[in-house]
Amino acid sequence: MAEVLQFCFSGLTVGAVYALVALGFTIIYNASDVVNFAQGEFVMLGGMVTVALAAAGMPLPVAAVAAVGVAAVVGVALHRLAIEPARGASPVGLIIITIGASIFIRGIAQVVFDKQFHKLPAFSGDTPFAVLGATILPQSLWVLGGTAAIVVGLHVFFERTLIGKAVAATAANRLAARLAGINTTSMMTLSFALAGAIGAVAGILVTPITLTSYNVGTLLALKGFAAGMLGGIGNPLGAVLGGLMLGLIEAFGAGYLSSAYKDGIAFVVILVVLFAFPRGLIGKRSAERV
Amino acid sequence: MRALLSSRWTTLGLLCLVIAALPLVFPSGYYYRVAALVWISAIAAVGLNIFMGYAGQVSLGHAGFFGIGAYAVAIGPARFGLNSWLCIFLGVFLSAALAWLVGRPILRLRGHYLAIATLGLGFLIALVLANEARWTGGPDGTAVPRLTIAGARLMEPVTWYWISGGLLTLGTALALNLENSAVGRALRALHDSEIAAALAGIDVARHKLRAFVIAAVYASLAGSALALFDGFITPDAAGFLRSIELVAMVVVGGIGSTAGSIVGAGLLVTLPQILAVFVEYEQIALGLIIMVVMIFLRRGIVPSARRLIVRRAP
Amino acid sequence: MTLLVAETLGIHFGGVQAVDDVSFAVETGRIFSIIGPNGAGKTTLFNLISGIYRPNTGRILLAGEDVTGLPPHRLAAKGIARTFQNLQVFYGMTVIENVMVGRHLREERRLVPAMLGLPSVTRQNRATRKKAHEILAFVGLDERIDEPAGALSYGDLRRLEIGRALALEPKLLLLDEPAAGCNPVETAELIGLVRNIAEQGVTIVLVEHDMRFVMQISDRVLVLDGGRMLAEGSPEAVRQNPEVVAAYLGRHGAREAGYARG
Ligand SMILES: Nc1ncnc2c1ncn2[C@@H]1O[C@H](COP(=O)(O)OP(=O)(O)OP(=O)(O)O)[C@@H](O)[C@H]1O
Ligand SMILES: [Mg+2]
């Protein structure tokens, strides 16, 4: 029982990070149809920039905010310098561009920072809480709480604010949004900034637990992508559920089956799911029209 | 002009010419090595282009088959005492069988779903190669026994230059023949409209599967060649980044163009070598090149160049 | 002889009953037209006959054989070819290659000979190309055979699709709004072309909004409305059927009703 609970805690913590990566994917995908393989680099930037700034003497909260800002700016740059000029390229072409961007960002990070692993201090100490025989780190609560806050915040943003509604309208129907006077290009840029910021927050929250380095982005991007697919691509709620589910499955798989194959579990799951539901778990089902 | 530029004999003739003439300008033996690496990657890219360029599908895990070919010639001879030549064929057989088995369900998927499924397949293959250390030597890799012909061990870069160059020429000829046949037309048709292709009598699922299996066989052969040439192999050969590199070769060179895949391979293999002086900046440069080519030469290098020439020509 | 029989065909998408209890029979060598307002289910009916959708109810017989639920490529092998209301041209290929694809079933399709480029394959390519060229001449497109398909005008693309379908040497040809987007001259040429095809013994089922076209050329006409059969009979009978007139006047505007009355 305690063991099961323990796996749940660790699974949900990791799953929350996957959920945030998948959410970033979804925001960008909905706004611009781009599958952004550089999403993991935002997570890396969040962690690495905070580490570097903190090491340079900045107080941790300030460093964290600055890192989120940096990631958002990188998101904007990604859209303006790489995606927007390639407007009209094939979907595969766009995927290749974002992969190029992720290699590029990783390369920069390797030069600006270093190739070492880095750690941040936990926000509220390292003394675990005991819950029904299992333990949970205070930092895990930060991760879960932060994720919940972001999900709620996004919901409010998209449903209640004018600019959020404009982004949502762009995602729903670009042409109609443009006809309604929305500057859809700006909204796409905003989506990239938002995705960058969300990724960075995930990176900052999780670095005290998992460490970070210049190349943690790729695997996170792949798993976030898998999580997004699991939930049905383009569905924000699905992305969050997919992420949490993936985290849990990984934790239990690593615990009961094989920890060496932990990183493969996400893909076994995604393959099995896609074989059974070729459009994702929550994806729309529609026949092709001719 | 257009007919001349798109003729398969032009592509094949140019390729032979380049392979034959390059050694005349090589200042040192090192260049044989780099060129051999280009030919080997190009073999995999030409195969992948059949799947991605002709049939319009996508595989983000193709290095998995490359890895199978590579480890077949590493594990077979070292652990089972099998003949290396036999192991090349075993690798091809394994890759083809896996592609055939997994291809049936996977190829029903489209677009991003196909992308993630193939990505997953490649990832899992690389993971198995890294984890089953008893057989594969684990993440650090394993030595590969050299190939022998009539008692002579093949290890000189010059030797491999000619072997891989010949293999590439053969692979290119087969790919170009395929393009210009009923099967090739079927692949290019289903690329544009699966429904119209099906109503023209094309068994769409079967032809996608054929393209996938062919591409897997090319990748496997290329993988075996690389392992035998290098004498050493690590699971990175099957990894995600390697898969992306293969896709980038096809796309950067010009998707659908066999000549383009070869040019793309040339670019993506030689550039890091040239930039190796600035090891630190290699990734930055690689990422930048991929982005710049994709943004400014959207069709890829060879089709863009071809259009330019056709337009300039009287 | 009866070539095509549809028996109580029906299909629904979610709550929409797109085709509902439709039955008809088409005699060999005839031109059979399906008309009806937008959304009546005409294209869906074609999608059922050509195997793109599987019907929820009913069956389809081709030359007496039950072909319900066969996949499109098997139906193509049994002699059904079609064109598309929303063009489905192979834009990555040249004009003649589009038609050559239509010869797929008449060609050797084994992989190894194709990759080896055996002389038999070269010979076959030449023969296929020759045949495709003849077909393009028949549909009036033999001047621009080596251009990319995308270079053709809309009306020519519709002919190209007909050419590709004919390359199959079908028994049954389904034409979905072949005159859509064509000017009067092109339409007149098209009527001639469809007649020529029928004269060669190909049975034609035609969906068309241009009533003059339909009334001039059809042996029988089926009227669909909201997925259901409204009437079926000779052009004369259908034209005078009060229900049809009412349906067209009531729901589809006076213009086409005017055509329907001639
Ligand atoms: N794949 C599908 N999914 C959902 N609904 C569909 C599908 N295909 C057709 N329909 C619906 O079935 C009905 C009939 O459509 P269909 O395209 O057959 O009409 P049509 O008679 O060809 O009209 P038009 O003259 O505009 O071409 C419509 O309400 C359409 O929305
Ligand atoms: Mg229609």
Side-chain angles (χ1 to χ4, degrees):
Chain A
M1 183 58 214
E3 197 180 48
V4 170
L5 205 59
Q6 193 64 56
F7 289 147
C8 277
F9 289 157
S10 58
L12 285 175
T13 307
V14 183
V17 177
Y18 297 158
L20 290 180
V21 178
L23 208 50
F25 259 126
T26 307
I27 290 173
I28 288 182
Y29 180 78
N30 281 348
S32 61
D33 290 340
V34 174
V35 169
N36 176 31
F37 270 94
Q39 189 64 31
E41 308 312 322
F42 296 142
V43 182
M44 178 275 287
L45 283 175
M48 290 300 279
V49 173
T50 310
V51 166
L53 293 180
M58 231 183 238
L60 194 58
V62 183
V65 172
V68 173
V70 168
V73 169
V74 171
V76 170
L78 175 62
H79 181 239
R80 283 291 151 116
L81 301 179
I83 304 296
E84 190 54 25
R87 197 203 292 247
S90 67
V92 178
L94 287 169
I95 286 186
I96 302 288
I97 289 176
T98 65
I99 290 172
S102 93
I103 297 175
F104 179 73
I105 296 171
R106 198 180 319 137
I108 301 262
Q110 179 192 334
V111 172
V112 174
F113 310 118
D114 55 23
K115 288 185 160 188
Q116 309 302 316
F117 274 95
H118 295 277
K119 188 172 166 36
L120 281 173
F123 299 177
S124 325
D126 290 315
T127 325
F129 303 112
V131 183
L132 298 173
T135 58
I136 184 164
L137 285 171
Q139 192 64 31
S140 287
L141 296 180
W142 273 100
V143 173
L144 291 170
T147 303
I150 286 178
V151 170
V152 171
L154 277 179
H155 183 75
V156 171
F157 175 71
F158 282 125
E159 298 287 327
R160 297 287 151 78
T161 67
L162 201 56
I163 189 154
K165 282 182 184 169
V167 176
T170 305
N173 186 337
R174 222 152 297 152
L175 184 62
R178 206 171 304 142
L179 292 176
I182 295 170
N183 183 340
T184 50
T185 308
S186 302
M187 294 307 128
M188 287 183 209
T189 307
L190 183 62
S191 303
F192 275 79
L194 208 56
I198 293 172
V201 171
I204 295 163
L205 290 174
V206 82
T207 296
I209 303 177
T210 58
L211 308 189
T212 190
S213 90
Y214 79 104
N215 68 359
V216 296
T218 312
L219 196 56
L220 276 173
L222 299 190
K223 290 192 186 167
F225 188 25
M229 286 287 158
L230 206 56
I233 191 166
N235 181 334
L237 188 66
V240 174
L241 291 180
L244 293 176
M245 212 147 64
L246 203 56
L248 284 173
I249 297 172
E250 252 187 39
F252 281 95
Y256 290 121
L257 295 174
S258 150
S259 60
Y261 282 98
K262 175 175 131 310
D263 286 334
I265 291 171
F267 298 101
V268 173
V269 170
I270 197 82
L271 282 171
V272 170
V273 167
L274 285 178
F275 289 172
F277 309 93
R279 283 158 208 274
L281 276 184
I282 313 182
K284 294 185 275 288
R285 214 152 295 245
S286 71
E288 195 172 345
R289 306 280 287 265
V290 283
Chain B
M1 193 70 197
R2 182 185 287 166
L4 181 67
L5 279 178
S6 56
S7 154
R8 57 184 147 155
W9 298 113
T10 311
T11 304
L12 216 51
L14 274 177
L15 179 63
C16 287
L17 197 71
V18 169
I19 293 176
L22 267 184
L24 301 176
V25 298
F26 281 163
S28 74
Y30 167 74
Y31 288 78
Y32 281 103
R33 184 182 150 70
V34 177
L37 290 176
V38 170
W39 303 153
I40 289 171
S41 290
I43 294 167
V46 165
L48 185 55
N49 181 53
I50 293 174
F51 183 62
M52 287 188 54
Y54 295 3
Q57 309 298 303
V58 59
S59 171
L60 296 185
H62 222 65
F65 299 111
F66 194 89
I68 291 177
Y71 275 89
V73 293
I75 298 173
R79 316 268 156 156
F80 299 99
L82 295 173
N83 179 296
S84 289
W85 291 97
L86 176 68
C87 290
I88 297 177
F89 289 102
L90 277 179
V92 164
F93 177 77
L94 266 176
S95 294
L98 183 67
W100 189 77
L101 275 176
V102 184
R104 292 175 156 241
I106 275 189
L107 295 173
R108 286 185 309 156
L109 305 170
R110 292 190 193 183
H112 303 317
Y113 293 100
L114 178 61
I116 186 75
T118 49
L119 191 164
L121 175 65
F123 190 93
L124 290 173
I125 295 174
L127 195 65
V128 169
L129 293 177
N131 274 337
E132 299 303 319
R134 272 171 307 158
W135 304 102
T136 64
D140 297 333
T142 182
V144 182
R146 300 288 185 164
L147 201 59
T148 54
I149 284 185
R153 294 191 338 145
L154 305 178
M155 48 195 306
E156 288 308 312
V158 186
T159 318
W160 277 98
Y161 176 90
W162 294 111
I163 294 177
S164 55
L167 207 56
L168 174 62
T169 310
L170 181 67
T172 304
L174 296 184
L176 291 170
N177 285 337
L178 180 70
E179 183 178 4
N180 198 19
S181 73
V183 181
R185 282 190 291 275
L187 294 177
R188 288 157 63 213
L190 72 87
H191 180 169
D192 284 334
S193 167
E194 287 189 17
I195 288 189
L199 278 154
I202 294 164
D203 186 339
V204 171
R206 175 150 182 261
H207 278 85
K208 281 187 191 173
L209 192 60
R210 281 176 151 185
F212 193 52
V213 171
I214 295 171
V217 167
Y218 271 77
S220 182
L221 275 174
S224 296
L226 181 72
L228 291 166
F229 171 39
D230 262 351
F232 197 82
I233 196 78
T234 71
D236 286 344
F240 175 65
L241 284 179
R242 186 83 189 134
S243 289
I244 291 310
E245 227 171 53
L246 289 177
V247 173
M249 287 170 190
V250 172
V251 178
V252 164
I255 192 153
S257 157
T258 301
S261 299
I262 301 171
V263 171
L267 193 72
L268 271 103
V269 173
T270 51
L271 273 175
Q273 302 282 340
I274 295 168
L275 298 166
V277 214
F278 322 98
V279 186
E280 291 274 280
Y281 298 95
E282 188 190 315
Q283 292 218 350
I284 300 181
L286 185 65
L288 210 55
I289 290 160
I290 292 179
M291 284 194 285
V292 167
V293 173
M294 285 317 298
I295 293 169
F296 295 107
L297 294 176
R298 213 161 287 177
R299 295 162 186 280
I301 295 170
V302 167
S304 299
R306 197 174 272 158
R307 270 161 72 94
L308 203 69
I309 297 173
V310 169
R311 217 175 295 150
R312 288 275 169 80
Chain C
M1 225 199 62
T2 316
L3 181 64
L4 176 71
V5 176
E7 279 180 11
T8 63
L9 279 184
I11 187 171
H12 59 84
F13 302 100
V16 182
Q17 187 73 37
V19 170
D20 188 4
D21 195 23
V22 170
S23 306
F24 61 89
V26 181
E27 296 298 307
T28 306
R30 297 291 164 79
I31 300 179
F32 185 96
S33 289
I34 302 173
I35 61 171
N38 292 109
K42 307 181 293 293
T43 298
T44 306
L45 194 53
F46 269 20
N47 285 340
L48 290 172
I49 300 172
S50 55
I52 292 171
Y53 300 151
R54 190 186 275 266
N56 298 121
T57 62
R59 2 180 254 160
I60 298 160
L61 306 178
L62 187 72
E65 182 191 356
D66 188 341
V67 296
T68 322
L70 284 188
H73 67 273
R74 299 278 309 281
L75 289 170
K78 295 203 177 290
I80 297 183
R82 76 172 273 192
T83 67
F84 299 86
Q85 181 178 357
N86 306 325
L87 292 171
Q88 299 282 319
V89 173
F90 306 133
Y91 287 106
M93 307 175 96
T94 62
V95 171
I96 196 162
E97 279 175 333
N98 265 271
V99 180
M100 288 169 80
V101 171
R103 301 293 296 167
H104 184 76
L105 288 170
R106 315 260 162 192
E107 292 185 286
E108 161 71 68
R109 303 183 292 278
R110 275 181 309 169
L111 203 51
V112 174
M115 292 191 81
L116 292 178
L118 295 183
S120 62
V121 175
T122 314
R123 266 198 307 276
Q124 173 178 284
N125 276 337
R126 217 175 293 136
T128 302
R129 200 181 146 87
K130 183 158 167 281
K131 183 77 190 174
H133 201 157
E134 285 168 22
I135 292 167
L136 282 169
F138 179 72
V139 299
L141 279 178
D142 54 337
E143 307 215 315
R144 312 173 62 184
I145 56 171
D146 283 320
E147 284 185 45
L152 295 187
S153 71
Y154 194 74
D156 285 350
L157 288 175
R158 292 217 167 271
R159 281 167 188 277
L160 179 59
E161 280 209 342
I162 295 177
R164 183 178 69 197
L166 287 177
L168 210 76
E169 296 176 27
K171 285 189 229 156
L172 176 66
L173 177 61
L174 311 174
L175 300 172
D176 198 349
E177 305 207 10
C182 293
N183 62 36
V185 179
E186 287 173 331
T187 305
E189 286 172 5
L190 205 60
I191 292 178
L193 178 61
V194 173
R195 280 223 171 92
N196 279 342
I197 297 169
E199 263 159 31
Q200 305 199 337
V202 180
T203 309
I204 293 176
V205 180
L206 180 87
V207 165
E208 189 46 68
H209 278 296
D210 185 330
M211 284 306 141
R212 264 196 270 251
F213 189 155
V214 171
M215 292 303 159
Q216 252 183 56
I217 205 170
S218 312
D219 294 304
R220 289 187 82 77
V221 178
L222 169 73
V223 189
L224 280 185
D225 188 15
R228 299 183 141 272
M229 289 172 63
L230 211 56
E232 204 244 90
S234 68
E236 276 307 306
V238 164
R239 187 173 7 212
Q240 277 148 20
N241 183 315
E243 266 193 83
V244 175
V245 175
Y248 268 79
L249 273 181
R251 278 174 248 160
H252 205 56
R255 197 169 65 98
E256 287 193 12
Y259 289 152
R261 259 181 269 110

